């Protein structure tokens, strides 16, 4: 565990660093060439708090991880991205992000939480499966192989 870590909601000031983290990491961008996440998309996600939830994990005021979820019209949640910098992994950062998210997104607010991951992302599968075992809120994980078309 990291003693000075805190979780907070994201804001526009985080956009530049989120842009860098989202586009510089193969784990998040996959095989995408160039810019996988645009600056405008990131600003929109951080700004529109009625349709998105952005959580930031930070230590000493530096971002060490984040979680992005979309709030669907019926108040269900779609977990879009969760990322922890490699040097902070296996230290409880991902779990803390997820637990904070779960507090904000769980019953009675939402009936369903959904996450989409690539089949090769075993670390994410392990994190979600370990957390979901202890949950009451229904949670669905949708997986897709890399290079598989969106249908």
């Amino acid at each position: 565990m990291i003693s000075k870590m805190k979780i907070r909601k994201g804001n526009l000031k985080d956009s530049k660093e989120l842009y860098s983290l989202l586009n510089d990491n193969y784990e998040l961008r996959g095989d995408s060439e160039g810019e996988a996440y645009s600056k405008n998309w990131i600003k929109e996600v951080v700004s529109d708090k009625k349709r998105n939830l952005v959580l930031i994990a930070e230590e000493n005021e530096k971002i060490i991880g984040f979680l992005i979820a979309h709030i669907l019209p019926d108040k269900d949640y779609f977990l879009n991205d969760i990322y922890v910098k490699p040097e902070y992994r296996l230290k409880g950062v991902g779990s803390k992000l997820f637990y904070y998210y779960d507090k904000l997104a769980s019953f009675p607010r939402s009936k369903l939480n959904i996450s989409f991951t690539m089949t090769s992302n075993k670390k994410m599968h392990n994190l979600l499966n370990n957390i979901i075992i202890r949950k009451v809120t229904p949670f669905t994980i949708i997986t897709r192989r890399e290079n598989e078309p969106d249908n």
Side-chain angles (χ1 to χ4, degrees), residues 28-104:
L28 295 171
R29 53 175 283 192
D31 292 331
S32 298
E33 298 269 335
E35 183 181 72
Y37 296 86
S38 73
K39 290 178 182 178
N40 287 338
W41 180 84
I42 294 166
K43 286 180 181 178
E44 181 182 318
V45 166
V46 173
S47 300
D48 189 351
K49 296 184 185 316
K50 288 185 180 182
R51 296 186 339 179
N52 302 293
L53 174 63
V54 177
L55 298 176
I56 303 292
E58 63 182 12
E59 181 181 49
N60 299 322
E61 299 184 21
K62 292 186 181 183
I63 294 177
I64 60 172
F66 64 85
L67 180 148
I68 298 173
H70 303 297
I71 305 167
L72 305 176
D74 54 359
K75 300 288 187 209
D76 291 334
Y77 282 70
F78 180 85
L79 176 58
N80 192 67
D81 287 301
I82 184 169
Y83 177 77
V84 177
K85 288 183 174 180
E87 62 269 28
Y88 292 96
R89 292 181 185 168
L90 299 174
K91 296 181 181 180
V93 178
S95 293
K96 277 219 165 152
L97 280 165
F98 193 89
Y99 285 123
Y100 194 90
Y101 161 73
D102 189 43
K103 273 197 237 179
L104 296 172

